[in-house]
Every structure is written in structure tokens, then in C-alpha cells.
Amino acid sequence: MPVQWAGLAPPLLVDLRRDGGQPLRAQLERGLRDAIRSGRLPVGERLPSSRELARQLGLSRGLVQECYGQLTAEGYLTGVVGSGTRVAAGTAAVAPPEPAPTTPATPAPRIDFASGVPDLSAFPREDWVWALREACRSVAVADLDYGDPRGDPRLREVLAGYTGRVRAAVTDRDRVVVCSGFAQGAALALQTLARAGYDRIALENPGNGDPAQSVSSRAALRIGRSLHHVPVDEEGLDVDALAASGARVVVVTPAHQSPTGVVLSAERRHALVAWARDTDGFVIEDDYDSEFRYDRDPVGVLQGLAPERVFTIGTVSKSLAPTIRVGWVLTPPAFADALAEEKRLADRGTPGLDQVALALLVESGRFDRHLRRMRARYARRRAALVDALARHAPAVALTGLAAGFHAVAHLPRGVDEQHVVAEAARRGVGLYGMSAFRVDGATTPAQLVLGFGNLSDHAVAEGIATVADLLAP
Amino acid sequence: MPVQWAGLAPPLLVDLRRDGGQPLRAQLERGLRDAIRSGRLPVGERLPSSRELARQLGLSRGLVQECYGQLTAEGYLTGVVGSGTRVAAGTAAVAPPEPAPTTPATPAPRIDFASGVPDLSAFPREDWVWALREACRSVAVADLDYGDPRGDPRLREVLAGYTGRVRAAVTDRDRVVVCSGFAQGAALALQTLARAGYDRIALENPGNGDPAQSVSSRAALRIGRSLHHVPVDEEGLDVDALAASGARVVVVTPAHQSPTGVVLSAERRHALVAWARDTDGFVIEDDYDSEFRYDRDPVGVLQGLAPERVFTIGTVSKSLAPTIRVGWVLTPPAFADALAEEKRLADRGTPGLDQVALALLVESGRFDRHLRRMRARYARRRAALVDALARHAPAVALTGLAAGFHAVAHLPRGVDEQHVVAEAARRGVGLYGMSAFRVDGATTPAQLVLGFGNLSDHAVAEGIATVADLLAP
């Protein structure tokens, strides 16, 4: 409903408050802007002279003039000599955006066996605050600028040492590119390879599930010319099937396959490296939770066998927490510069203080100490899961337990995966069927992917007890 | 040179140190791995039995067996019943990467008038440490997980309020997507639009200079179907030229054109909005240094006039420091979901603690206080630049000073831009010609882009005095 200045008192329009909360000029500006945007002051409407408006509102004329000047510069008003100040064309009826519809949230499960989430309650807050404070205080002034897009040189040095020491990687500072976690690292590597002509991409199956949903699959679909899904068996990726697919790039999880938990066998490691060398192919190694291995030392990265053919991506998403967005790519020498350029184009580099903080955490020994603590904690929790299943659901076999913090429960014959998941949800327990990780969504063989990272030992036991009857043959 | 186990004593190969610095098993593993990688232990070579090697090295047999097992799992060794343990195929001669050639660094100028860099020495370290510590301590455990890819809800709420209050933007929490600065924000917006069919992209000229170098231009070149360069005059972007270009998307810097410093005039604001509405086009508004305006309040964002047609990108790169990689995109309602999905695919979200810290900084009033302090500081420095030029080089006209912390010096007729830049460099003063910002690299009209953000007032004066003779007609 347009306002008639002649008929409506301006105070009704702009509603100035004189309680000192906000400067009057800011209030007047906002009031006029809102009136124009809402269409209450229509295009072409002539405003009172600054003298007149000042009188009506009890303001100084200078203040009103400043305000008119500001709104004219911003394009809301237009001043024509002899014609006064009018509402400018093209400003009308900018409705404030509708609030987005809120989808009714499904209640979160009371006990959630979601995989891929570490124990968030064990995030070393005090260590991280210490490292950030040290980083903030010690960083050179010049290092507050945009830095090397590959990342902070000190962190790259530390990561080259760490991945060499703990993961048996072969790299050096100049082949490490710091990124913001696996999703970005994979996108950078895939993009780098695609631009070099390697654009037929293979993913593991089971793996990310529906290609239309998962981050990795969607990124691969966009970047690649073709997307292939290669089966995983009890030795890991089926390399013969990979070779038959025609793909030139494959994303794999050798240390602890996601989600089956299988460790890529020595034979398959050789076959995969031979495939890469023979077909001029490349491997993107997702080394996401390898720090946590229970039966012996973590198996070294595949990259150590063929550093010229393997991009290895590591992250602190599992070892610290996903909210710390720091990861790294160990890059084959021939692609180090190209991948650094992809990083520069993506975001000009990962936050600098987080990088220095991580370097300090590793150098100080706090990172290793945290990992040792977490390994012991996850080992206890893993034992709690094994015990609970043995006690309450002895017909369920458990595999994939060598590393990480998820395992696969094989449901007895005749038990329907979808029914178990749905009924467990009704009881407040979050269970996830293997079907969600299969490309075709197949519900057989009936399996559950049980994440136990972010549950207390007690919750693991209680959760299994709560759904035990559903898991019986 | 292959090792003959029969002939060479294993201690010479693996060089165990018994000073307690590292576990013997780790040393043995590393020694064998290195020997295999370097080719000293060739493919197919048979290793001594674990009993024999243990005897020779004075280790327990179990330790050697564990070590063989580990290296077999990793693919370096292969064990065949009856044939013993051998070096596996495909492992040989992985040379450690050559160290990257170090390019001889050109000495940094003693006084550097580079633009786009804020006063790094004024970064509020203590405030930021305070905010990070509060964030680390107060964040809910569940918020340490991957969050909403659009960003922390509290920060989005704060940014919607802040951009409404300070920048006269029209938005709400659900239309704000947190990103890692302008480079990522622009890539996300361009990608979102390109996927909707808006893939003819225009950039300002002067602007980023050589399209093969600048981040924005390279990103636009990759994402767009065509790239157009639209001239900027003393009123800002030439909207008629934009319309003639056929572009459907344009990236502009209305508050303070980069690099000319021109503020987009009211008429051009209207014309640009009309262009967007009439041609079904979109504007990406780079609102990079608008907080620092000297002659009056900052001009509100263009987005306020046409929130359904304008993506506005803000960042703390200029207000805090580039190393803090936090920015935001105010998204037209119709594209909010699509842009959030681009962000999810790019990196699953910006670091959470930095987001909470920024929200706390704004809410606590520390951010505004810092901006006020910096505005006064830059105003002094700007005055120092004006004074120094008036005193030492009165023939040089200065424009683009209304906001930000760079200005344009117009060189007198007959003065060669390239000569000035080169000679200044020899004197230790970094000057930058406008030619570097022009698409065609044209060196006329001869102008310098003078950044004064990251120099002391004294250095500004000294720098100008040092090169004054070069700037005389």
C-alpha cells in the first residue's frame, strides 16, 4: 500500500526510537530503505524536502541531507535539480525472502551406529587450544598473508616426516599439498588427472552408495568422462574387474576398505600397482582411518610401493575431528605443480593458523599421544561390540575389525536388512544397512555397517541388546 | 648394486642402532623397505629365514617374523611355502623424488606498495585467540562433526544481521553460505550459475589482468563457456558495453572498484540492475574492502537493490587477514540450495571453530571495534600518501581514495610506467603499473596502483620520497 507523504505523517513510516539504542541517522536510512524495498514508497514518489522532513521528524536538516545523499549513492533515491528527491526506478517491491521451509526433522537415534564419525567427545580441546594459541602468537606477520597455496612449509615438512614414519610413504615437502580433507583432496586429484586426460574414473563398490548422493561420487561424476564401479571382495578391490572396466583412475581405501573393513591383500596391492604401471593408470588412495589398527602396526600406504602412480590423501577428520578441516595429498612428482594450481584456484589455500597448529601438535608429541590414547579407547569399544554381539546375537558374524572404528555385521539367513533398520529406528537405535553403500542398493547379502567410534562402550552394549531379537535367525 | 645376502652381512644393510632412540623392529622394517625401494634388495631376492636373520642381527625370531609379516602385508615381500620369503615383484627401484628445483627468489622490495594486502601487523591476535579459545571450549560435542555445508547456523545468523546492518543487504540465515573467501565464493557462484545455463561470464577491465594468471579469471575461464572483459570508466563498469557483450553473468566490485578505486555511480547501479532484470542476467558482487570508507558511510551493497539477481561475496581477508579463510556468499533465494550443494562437493564445509570464533568476535563487539581502529589507521595512512605525493610529486593526480587501502596514481604525460616500476624496484620500492591489471597489458594511460594497507605511515612517506624524481614530468 503506497504511502502518501502528503497524507501520512512520516513518523508512522520510519518509526524513530530515541532511546539511544541506535543513531537516528541509521534508523532513518534503514526506515526509508525498508519502505522503498517493500513498495510502501513507490517508484517515482517524491520525498519531502530535507528541510520539511527534518521539521516533521524533529531532526537536523544536515542529518536528513546526509541520509538522502547516502541513499542516492546506493541507488534507492534519485535527485533531479528542480524536481526534488524521488524514489528511483528499479527499487520497488523487493520482497524479503520467504523463510525457507523447515523440513520436519526426524528425531536423531538415541544410540547411533553411524560409521565414519570418530569419538567427538575425545577431541583434545585443550591441546588444540594450546596449539592455536601458540600458532597465533608465534606466526610471523608476513605469514598472515595469503601463503603458498600448497600449504605452510613447516606443516608440509612435518607431514612428509609423519607420513614417512607412520605410514611408510615416500615423499618430501614439495610433493605434499595441504587441503581441507578427503573431499577436497580427491576433487583436486581427480581434476588434476582429468586435465591431463585421465578422466575415466573407478570407485569401489560397496563404497559410497548412490552416486547421486555421495560427495565422492558426485564429484567424480562431474569431473570424469565416465564412472565405473568395481566390486570389492574379501581381499579388497577386484583388480581384474578394474582392468576390464577401462578406467584409468581408481579411488581405493587399502588400509581399511570403506565400508567393508577389508584390508587390501598383498597380492591385490601388487596387482593394483602393476595395473597402474601397465595401463598408465593412477590410484587415489584414501588413507582415512589407518592410524587405528589393532592386531599389529598399521599397514603402510600403497603409495610407498609406487609413489609415481599413487596420490595418497590423509586427513585429521578421523584422528582429531571433522570440524578441523585439514588434510593432505601426497602427490606423484609429475603432478605436484598441477595439483598445487588446482588448490590455488579452489580457495587460495587452507587456513594458515590451523596448519601451524597441526604442525605444532605433531612436533610436540601431543598428536602421537592422542592417537595412542584413542587407539586404546577404540580397542575397548571394539571389544565391547564383539562381546555384545557374542552375548546377545551369536548368529551374527563380524568382519572388518582389523582397523578403524566400524565393522560389518553379517545377518543370519532369513533376516531382512530393511526390516532390522526400520524396527531399530523405532526403538531409537540407528542402524545402517550395507544396501546404502552399494551402487545398486541391493539388500542382499543382508549386512549392517556398525560404526562404534562415537558411542560410549556402554551405549554399544545397550544398543546391541536393544536390537538383539531382530538379529536372530 | 644388488645385495647378496650370502655375501654381505645383514648388519651392513639395515644398520640397527641400539641406543634406544627407536624400536628395533621399526628400524628393521624401515631398513628392509628402504633396501627394497632403492633396488639394493632386488625383486625375487630370497631373504634369510627369520631364524637365521634373527641370529645374525641378534634379535628375537618373533620380532623378525613380525617384521616379515608386516612387509608382506604391505606388498614388499612375498612368502611362498617351501620357497621362503622373497622380495615381491613391482617393488624395485622406487627412487626417492628429486628435490624440486628452487627458483632463485627475487629480493622482496624494502617498501612494497602491493595492493590487496591489509595491515597484517594490526591483525588482532589476542582477540582472535580469545575467540578461538571460547569457540573450542563452548562448542557442543555434536558440532565437532561435519556440519551443515552452508556453515554454522549461528555464524550465518550473525552474518545475515551484520550484512543487513553494515552493508544494507537483504538476506536471512538460510541464504547465507559460509565459504573460505572470495576465490571460493566466486567459484561456487559461477559454478552454480553455469549449471543453470548462465555460462557467459564478464569481468571488469582493468581488473584481474592476465586471464592466464589471476585466480578469478582462470576460474571463470574454466567454468564459463565464454569470457568477456568490460571496460571500467570513472563511474565504474560500463553497463552498455556489458549489455553489448552478450554476457549473462558479471563479476563487479561496486563499493571500490579493483583496482581503479572508482565507486559505482547511482546511475550505473540502476543500469546494472535493469540489465540483470531485462536480460535474465546475474551479478556477482565482490564486496572486498567496503568496511573502510573515509568520506561517509560505506555505500550499501548492490544486492540490496536486487537480492534475487545479485550474489554478494564478503570476506575477512581484508578486515582481519587473508590467513583466516572465512568468507560468505549472500545468495539469491532461487540458488541457495544449489550453491550449498556446490560447497558440499567442494570441501564439505568451512572449518567449524573458525566460524564460531568469527561469530563470537562479531557478537562481542570486538569485530566492530577492530574495524573502527583500522578505519582510523588507514585514514591516517591515506593522508600520509596524499601528503607525500603533494610534497614530492605534485604532478601526480590521485584517484580512487574514497574507500579501501589502495589508490591510483596518474603519471604525468611523458612518464613511462614500465620505467618507473623497474627503476623503483632497483631502489627497493615495489610499485605496480596499471598495465598488470589490464587484460591487454596496455601501458597507457600510465598509472600506478598504490596499495598502502600493509605499510607504516613512515614507509609510505619514505617510499614516495625515494621514487619522487621518477614521477616528475
Side-chain angles (χ1 to χ4, degrees), chain B residues 266-282:
Chain B
E267 288 71 24
R268 292 286 173 83
R269 282 167 189 260
H270 290 144
L272 188 53
V273 166
W275 165 83
R277 289 187 173 138
D278 294 349
T279 64
D280 185 20
F282 291 92

PDB file of all heavy atoms in Angstrom, chain B residues 266-282:
ATOM      1  N   ALA B 266      25.367   5.908  -8.878  1.00  0.00           N
ATOM      2  CA  ALA B 266      23.953   5.556  -8.691  1.00  0.00           C
ATOM      3  C   ALA B 266      23.314   5.191 -10.023  1.00  0.00           C
ATOM      4  O   ALA B 266      22.560   4.213 -10.120  1.00  0.00           O
ATOM      5  CB  ALA B 266      23.211   6.716  -8.036  1.00  0.00           C
ATOM      6  N   GLU B 267      23.617   5.965 -11.075  1.00  0.00           N
ATOM      7  CA  GLU B 267      23.025   5.679 -12.394  1.00  0.00           C
ATOM      8  C   GLU B 267      23.446   4.299 -12.871  1.00  0.00           C
ATOM      9  O   GLU B 267      22.642   3.531 -13.394  1.00  0.00           O
ATOM     10  CB  GLU B 267      23.479   6.731 -13.428  1.00  0.00           C
ATOM     11  CG  GLU B 267      22.850   8.105 -13.252  1.00  0.00           C
ATOM     12  CD  GLU B 267      23.371   8.835 -12.028  1.00  0.00           C
ATOM     13  OE1 GLU B 267      24.506   8.523 -11.575  1.00  0.00           O
ATOM     14  OE2 GLU B 267      22.647   9.694 -11.492  1.00  0.00           O
ATOM     15  N   ARG B 268      24.740   3.987 -12.698  1.00  0.00           N
ATOM     16  CA  ARG B 268      25.219   2.680 -13.148  1.00  0.00           C
ATOM     17  C   ARG B 268      24.623   1.546 -12.311  1.00  0.00           C
ATOM     18  O   ARG B 268      24.374   0.454 -12.821  1.00  0.00           O
ATOM     19  CB  ARG B 268      26.749   2.630 -13.063  1.00  0.00           C
ATOM     20  CG  ARG B 268      27.448   3.554 -14.051  1.00  0.00           C
ATOM     21  CD  ARG B 268      27.390   3.013 -15.471  1.00  0.00           C
ATOM     22  NE  ARG B 268      27.912   3.979 -16.418  1.00  0.00           N
ATOM     23  CZ  ARG B 268      29.206   4.157 -16.697  1.00  0.00           C
ATOM     24  NH1 ARG B 268      30.124   3.406 -16.117  1.00  0.00           N
ATOM     25  NH2 ARG B 268      29.596   5.072 -17.557  1.00  0.00           N
ATOM     26  N   ARG B 269      24.396   1.830 -11.024  1.00  0.00           N
ATOM     27  CA  ARG B 269      23.740   0.806 -10.203  1.00  0.00           C
ATOM     28  C   ARG B 269      22.370   0.463 -10.780  1.00  0.00           C
ATOM     29  O   ARG B 269      22.014  -0.714 -10.916  1.00  0.00           O
ATOM     30  CB  ARG B 269      23.586   1.299  -8.759  1.00  0.00           C
ATOM     31  CG  ARG B 269      24.851   1.204  -7.974  1.00  0.00           C
ATOM     32  CD  ARG B 269      24.830   1.954  -6.657  1.00  0.00           C
ATOM     33  NE  ARG B 269      26.189   1.933  -6.155  1.00  0.00           N
ATOM     34  CZ  ARG B 269      26.633   1.087  -5.218  1.00  0.00           C
ATOM     35  NH1 ARG B 269      25.810   0.263  -4.624  1.00  0.00           N
ATOM     36  NH2 ARG B 269      27.895   1.073  -4.878  1.00  0.00           N
ATOM     37  N   HIS B 270      21.623   1.508 -11.103  1.00  0.00           N
ATOM     38  CA  HIS B 270      20.310   1.261 -11.693  1.00  0.00           C
ATOM     39  C   HIS B 270      20.422   0.539 -13.014  1.00  0.00           C
ATOM     40  O   HIS B 270      19.676  -0.388 -13.311  1.00  0.00           O
ATOM     41  CB  HIS B 270      19.571   2.580 -11.920  1.00  0.00           C
ATOM     42  CG  HIS B 270      19.146   3.202 -10.643  1.00  0.00           C
ATOM     43  ND1 HIS B 270      19.133   4.541 -10.415  1.00  0.00           N
ATOM     44  CD2 HIS B 270      18.742   2.629  -9.485  1.00  0.00           C
ATOM     45  CE1 HIS B 270      18.736   4.784  -9.200  1.00  0.00           C
ATOM     46  NE2 HIS B 270      18.502   3.634  -8.596  1.00  0.00           N
ATOM     47  N   ALA B 271      21.361   0.998 -13.833  1.00  0.00           N
ATOM     48  CA  ALA B 271      21.507   0.399 -15.158  1.00  0.00           C
ATOM     49  C   ALA B 271      21.894  -1.079 -15.036  1.00  0.00           C
ATOM     50  O   ALA B 271      21.398  -1.935 -15.785  1.00  0.00           O
ATOM     51  CB  ALA B 271      22.564   1.156 -15.961  1.00  0.00           C
ATOM     52  N   LEU B 272      22.752  -1.380 -14.060  1.00  0.00           N
ATOM     53  CA  LEU B 272      23.208  -2.768 -13.895  1.00  0.00           C
ATOM     54  C   LEU B 272      22.061  -3.663 -13.433  1.00  0.00           C
ATOM     55  O   LEU B 272      21.880  -4.778 -13.939  1.00  0.00           O
ATOM     56  CB  LEU B 272      24.378  -2.800 -12.904  1.00  0.00           C
ATOM     57  CG  LEU B 272      25.110  -4.125 -12.735  1.00  0.00           C
ATOM     58  CD1 LEU B 272      25.565  -4.692 -14.079  1.00  0.00           C
ATOM     59  CD2 LEU B 272      26.313  -3.958 -11.808  1.00  0.00           C
ATOM     60  N   VAL B 273      21.283  -3.159 -12.486  1.00  0.00           N
ATOM     61  CA  VAL B 273      20.132  -3.941 -12.022  1.00  0.00           C
ATOM     62  C   VAL B 273      19.126  -4.121 -13.157  1.00  0.00           C
ATOM     63  O   VAL B 273      18.573  -5.216 -13.360  1.00  0.00           O
ATOM     64  CB  VAL B 273      19.493  -3.244 -10.792  1.00  0.00           C
ATOM     65  CG1 VAL B 273      18.123  -3.838 -10.499  1.00  0.00           C
ATOM     66  CG2 VAL B 273      20.412  -3.378  -9.582  1.00  0.00           C
ATOM     67  N   ALA B 274      18.907  -3.038 -13.932  1.00  0.00           N
ATOM     68  CA  ALA B 274      17.968  -3.140 -15.058  1.00  0.00           C
ATOM     69  C   ALA B 274      18.475  -4.149 -16.083  1.00  0.00           C
ATOM     70  O   ALA B 274      17.706  -4.955 -16.624  1.00  0.00           O
ATOM     71  CB  ALA B 274      17.771  -1.769 -15.710  1.00  0.00           C
ATOM     72  N   TRP B 275      19.806  -4.115 -16.334  1.00  0.00           N
ATOM     73  CA  TRP B 275      20.388  -5.090 -17.261  1.00  0.00           C
ATOM     74  C   TRP B 275      20.090  -6.510 -16.782  1.00  0.00           C
ATOM     75  O   TRP B 275      19.674  -7.380 -17.562  1.00  0.00           O
ATOM     76  CB  TRP B 275      21.911  -4.874 -17.361  1.00  0.00           C
ATOM     77  CG  TRP B 275      22.627  -6.036 -18.008  1.00  0.00           C
ATOM     78  CD1 TRP B 275      22.772  -6.269 -19.339  1.00  0.00           C
ATOM     79  CD2 TRP B 275      23.257  -7.144 -17.325  1.00  0.00           C
ATOM     80  NE1 TRP B 275      23.454  -7.444 -19.539  1.00  0.00           N
ATOM     81  CE2 TRP B 275      23.763  -8.007 -18.321  1.00  0.00           C
ATOM     82  CE3 TRP B 275      23.437  -7.482 -15.984  1.00  0.00           C
ATOM     83  CZ2 TRP B 275      24.443  -9.185 -18.013  1.00  0.00           C
ATOM     84  CZ3 TRP B 275      24.108  -8.664 -15.668  1.00  0.00           C
ATOM     85  CH2 TRP B 275      24.607  -9.491 -16.677  1.00  0.00           C
ATOM     86  N   ALA B 276      20.330  -6.753 -15.486  1.00  0.00           N
ATOM     87  CA  ALA B 276      20.126  -8.109 -14.959  1.00  0.00           C
ATOM     88  C   ALA B 276      18.669  -8.534 -15.122  1.00  0.00           C
ATOM     89  O   ALA B 276      18.385  -9.658 -15.544  1.00  0.00           O
ATOM     90  CB  ALA B 276      20.544  -8.170 -13.490  1.00  0.00           C
ATOM     91  N   ARG B 277      17.756  -7.617 -14.811  1.00  0.00           N
ATOM     92  CA  ARG B 277      16.333  -7.984 -14.890  1.00  0.00           C
ATOM     93  C   ARG B 277      15.881  -8.151 -16.339  1.00  0.00           C
ATOM     94  O   ARG B 277      15.136  -9.074 -16.661  1.00  0.00           O
ATOM     95  CB  ARG B 277      15.494  -6.931 -14.177  1.00  0.00           C
ATOM     96  CG  ARG B 277      15.687  -7.004 -12.665  1.00  0.00           C
ATOM     97  CD  ARG B 277      14.743  -6.083 -11.911  1.00  0.00           C
ATOM     98  NE  ARG B 277      14.887  -6.341 -10.469  1.00  0.00           N
ATOM     99  CZ  ARG B 277      14.925  -5.389  -9.532  1.00  0.00           C
ATOM    100  NH1 ARG B 277      14.789  -4.116  -9.871  1.00  0.00           N
ATOM    101  NH2 ARG B 277      15.065  -5.713  -8.262  1.00  0.00           N
ATOM    102  N   ASP B 278      16.367  -7.271 -17.208  1.00  0.00           N
ATOM    103  CA  ASP B 278      15.881  -7.304 -18.591  1.00  0.00           C
ATOM    104  C   ASP B 278      16.458  -8.472 -19.378  1.00  0.00           C
ATOM    105  O   ASP B 278      15.804  -8.997 -20.279  1.00  0.00           O
ATOM    106  CB  ASP B 278      16.260  -5.997 -19.315  1.00  0.00           C
ATOM    107  CG  ASP B 278      15.522  -4.815 -18.700  1.00  0.00           C
ATOM    108  OD1 ASP B 278      14.601  -5.048 -17.886  1.00  0.00           O
ATOM    109  OD2 ASP B 278      15.888  -3.661 -19.008  1.00  0.00           O
ATOM    110  N   THR B 279      17.705  -8.845 -19.076  1.00  0.00           N
ATOM    111  CA  THR B 279      18.343  -9.881 -19.899  1.00  0.00           C
ATOM    112  C   THR B 279      18.370 -11.216 -19.181  1.00  0.00           C
ATOM    113  O   THR B 279      18.993 -12.146 -19.668  1.00  0.00           O
ATOM    114  CB  THR B 279      19.800  -9.502 -20.236  1.00  0.00           C
ATOM    115  OG1 THR B 279      20.537  -9.464 -19.011  1.00  0.00           O
ATOM    116  CG2 THR B 279      19.889  -8.155 -20.908  1.00  0.00           C
ATOM    117  N   ASP B 280      17.694 -11.300 -18.012  1.00  0.00           N
ATOM    118  CA  ASP B 280      17.803 -12.514 -17.204  1.00  0.00           C
ATOM    119  C   ASP B 280      19.282 -12.796 -16.906  1.00  0.00           C
ATOM    120  O   ASP B 280      19.787 -13.892 -17.150  1.00  0.00           O
ATOM    121  CB  ASP B 280      17.141 -13.691 -17.922  1.00  0.00           C
ATOM    122  CG  ASP B 280      17.126 -14.961 -17.070  1.00  0.00           C
ATOM    123  OD1 ASP B 280      17.267 -14.861 -15.832  1.00  0.00           O
ATOM    124  OD2 ASP B 280      16.991 -16.057 -17.649  1.00  0.00           O
ATOM    125  N   GLY B 281      19.955 -11.772 -16.402  1.00  0.00           N
ATOM    126  CA  GLY B 281      21.375 -11.907 -16.070  1.00  0.00           C
ATOM    127  C   GLY B 281      21.600 -11.876 -14.569  1.00  0.00           C
ATOM    128  O   GLY B 281      20.663 -11.646 -13.791  1.00  0.00           O
ATOM    129  N   PHE B 282      22.814 -12.148 -14.152  1.00  0.00           N
ATOM    130  CA  PHE B 282      23.145 -12.178 -12.730  1.00  0.00           C
ATOM    131  C   PHE B 282      24.448 -11.434 -12.445  1.00  0.00           C
ATOM    132  O   PHE B 282      25.350 -11.393 -13.281  1.00  0.00           O
ATOM    133  CB  PHE B 282      23.245 -13.623 -12.223  1.00  0.00           C
ATOM    134  CG  PHE B 282      21.907 -14.297 -12.189  1.00  0.00           C
ATOM    135  CD1 PHE B 282      21.469 -15.025 -13.279  1.00  0.00           C
ATOM    136  CD2 PHE B 282      21.085 -14.147 -11.094  1.00  0.00           C
ATOM    137  CE1 PHE B 282      20.207 -15.611 -13.271  1.00  0.00           C
ATOM    138  CE2 PHE B 282      19.823 -14.726 -11.082  1.00  0.00           C
ATOM    139  CZ  PHE B 282      19.391 -15.463 -12.172  1.00  0.00           C
TER     140      PHE B 282
END
